Amino acid sequence: MQTWLTATLRVATQDDIASFEQVPLEARALPVSVYEAIRARAALQPGAPAIRYLPDGSDLGVEMAWSYAELVARITQIANFLSALGVGRADRVGILMPNTPEAHACLWAAETVGVACPINFMLEPSQISSILEEAGCKVLIAFGPHPDFDIWEKCQALRAGGLTHVLRATMAGVAESAGDDGEGAGGPAVLALAGYRACPADALSFAAVTDAATTAALFHTGGTTGAPKLAMHSHGNQVANSWAQALSMHMAPGHVRLCGLPLFHVNGAIANGLVLYMAGACLVLTGLKGYRDAGVVRNFWRIVDKYKAQSFAAVPTFLVSLAQVEIGDADISSLEFLRCGTAPLSRQLAHDFAALSGVDIMEGYGLTEGTSVSAMNPRFGEKRIGSVGLRMPYQRVQIRRMERGAAPGALCADNEYGLVYISGPNVIAGYLDAAETAAVFTPDGWYNTGDIGRFDADGYLWLTGRQKDIIIRGGHNLDPRMIEEALYAHPDVQHAAAIGRPDRYTGEMPVAYVTLRPGARVDSESLLRFAAERIPERAAVPKCVKIIREMPLTSVGKIFKPPLRKDAAMDGYMDALGGMIGAYNMTLSVEEEQGETLVRLVSTDLSPVHHAHVRRFVGDALKTFTFAHALTFASRY
């Protein structure tokens, strides 16, 4: 009996989660595979809408929709098509597609027949080739040609041996020949994805997955260089995490969720894909470009009204843009909450957005290695802005002291900062590269996230830093190494360090600090151009390269980044405040308090009648920054 379909949970406190866990996970009878999970839900509500698709955010009158029965049929057909092309259980299928219903079907079909490998199509061809090679992909599904995307053009430049077929996908609803497109000399055969329409839709033509430990997908993590980390998701990982998320959000069948996040990231694929299908909810996809579509942003509140959406998924940068859009006469009373993750959310932005929309923000914490979400603010309890909430059901989280060496330190007490470790049914067994797995997993399966955080006395998790120094620009995880390695390739560079500078629009903007070799005469602009030509991900090109006299180093000669972060924070805040610094006689300083960055602002010689005015202007300028700031007033006399 599939008791997972009837389980209910109302999360208000950590005690609710603990009480729910008194029933062992094994007794919940979770589906063995993703295909089984989606099919089981579809059997209960075949005619209910699974996906409603708005191709263009500027034209709300055009849409297409798939019922649950149609979703399962498309997944079945594409899986059968891939099987006919020779894809087996261990074979990998690369996916380069924007947000379309068929992109969802391709992802779950690839997992059903083999192993899916969704790839960020905004990467450069060399980076895409590297991931395809590392994963050992046999088939590639790619979108285009299309005037708004260069995915198909990038495919022409790929150098990935081992591919037997490239399947060309067009925009959903566009007529396309199902025949062969041709074959390159010695290269993979190029076929139309539309060929799947001739395949059976009622049953799989091959043996279904029978073991939940079977690998379902390889998701590449963050920004990488020539050797990407590929996290191995099992079917059990994805099913368990999706089910736990749906329960934690108390998502009932028929719930309507808007999403414009890309499928190559676990937020779009799992938290706003499989979670909804297991709950029997309806996913409203907001166009090919998702939230990068200016029409979607401009008409967002009207889209909420049109679909009577009950929730939507967002990242902080999207909320910054949305906060500037007037609600007007749109009826958004259907909205119950919004899910925000991927990057830290500032308290001021959360307050302002809630005041504008009247909608609760459920901030959470997730990572590729945890399948999607590991913690979430409670649906029915107190939402503590700045925290990432309570752990998910059956998810284990520990805070351990930061010790020398690789071994985990002792457990931290409440409100004591340390490294965040996770384990549980949603945590992957490891990476494709066994050496990378050994570097971050303990022998008993605990994963060192590299994040620094603490638990408060009520079980809320607070994150205060990232040990691994990942730069988060608008929700994109950027590895500083790719910037540093590009700069180190310059013969005049002695030391290079890349960090995130606070930015009012993107959260963080990559910047680089370098010291030069003796006698070097190169300038900052030349270094910036040099690096930009060698960095494979455009989002990682730094805003500036700053030449400094001496690089801060530890006693053993490693680059010590905290002083650089302070300098970058100062630059970011001064840039945001602009003329207010001089107008309000303001001085700035940056401090570290218990692992958190605090920017102190002191304004002198202002009459008290101006204090409220200054606080308002400063608050508006800094409301999107995740670093805390403290403004005080003083007099020199």
Side-chain angles (χ1 to χ4, degrees), residues 354-477:
L356 168 71
S357 64
V359 180
D360 285 338
I361 298 177
M362 292 177 62
E363 193 174 0
Y365 168 59
L367 57 167
T368 305
E369 292 82 355
T371 300
S372 177
V373 175
S374 290
M376 185 190 306
N377 270 275
R379 176 75 180 89
F380 299 102
E382 180 186 359
K383 295 158 187 66
R384 298 185 180 177
I385 298 300
S387 104
V388 293
L390 307 172
R391 65 177 179 84
M392 300 290 294
Y394 301 102
Q395 167 75 90
R396 299 289 178 258
V397 183
Q398 293 180 345
I399 310 295
R400 292 187 169 271
R401 290 176 183 163
M402 293 174 280
E403 307 285 359
R404 291 181 180 274
L411 288 174
C412 292
D414 287 346
N415 293 311
E416 181 182 0
Y417 292 91
L419 281 173
V420 179
Y421 283 77
I422 60 174
S423 73
N426 59 305
V427 177
I428 63 170
Y431 301 107
L432 195 60
D433 186 325
E436 291 174 339
T437 302
V440 291
F441 280 86
T442 65
D444 56 349
W446 285 86
Y447 171 67
N448 178 357
T449 68
D451 293 313
I452 301 171
R454 64 177 172 87
F455 277 122
D456 64 22
D458 298 315
Y460 286 76
L461 178 61
W462 301 76
L463 301 179
T464 58
R466 299 184 305 279
Q467 189 191 43
K468 53 191 175 185
D469 295 327
I470 291 296
I471 301 165
I472 301 180
R473 177 181 181 178
H476 290 281
N477 291 350

Side-chain angles (χ1 to χ4, degrees), residues 484-496 513-528 530-531 534 545-549 551:
E484 293 161 0
E485 289 171 6
L487 287 166
Y488 274 125
H490 195 286
D492 289 339
V493 171
Q494 184 177 48
H495 293 298
Y513 291 80
V514 301
T515 55
L516 302 179
R517 298 183 184 278
R521 294 290 185 268
V522 67
D523 59 24
S524 295
E525 289 299 317
S526 298
L527 287 175
L528 183 58
F530 180 88
R534 289 160 176 79
V545 176
K546 196 169 185 177
I547 298 174
I548 56 178
R549 183 183 299 274
M551 185 69 69

Side-chain angles (χ1 to χ4, degrees), residues 341-356:
T342 304
L345 177 68
S346 76
R347 290 176 174 84
Q348 186 64 48
L349 177 58
H351 177 271
D352 290 352
F353 193 84
L356 168 71

Side-chain angles (χ1 to χ4, degrees), residues 550-629:
E550 185 176 357
M551 185 69 69
L553 304 174
T554 67
S555 58
V556 293
K558 293 184 178 180
I559 292 177
F560 188 58
K561 291 188 175 181
L564 303 179
R565 290 196 188 93
K566 288 184 179 182
D567 184 82
M570 183 75 77
D571 286 347
Y573 274 77
M574 292 184 71
D575 183 58
L577 293 169
M580 284 185 276
I581 294 174
Y584 304 142
N585 299 318
M586 195 177 298
T587 59
L588 282 69
S589 63
V590 183
E591 304 172 6
E592 294 288 328
E593 292 189 358
Q594 292 187 297
E596 294 192 62
T597 301
L598 174 67
V599 179
R600 292 194 181 277
L601 304 92
V602 179
S603 182
T604 60
D605 301 331
L606 287 182
S607 169
V609 299
H610 298 303
H611 289 183
H613 170 82
V614 174
R615 284 193 185 280
R616 184 171 66 255
F617 272 72
V618 170
D620 286 344
L622 304 180
K623 66 181 179 181
T624 60
F625 283 20
T626 56
F627 289 164
H629 70 272

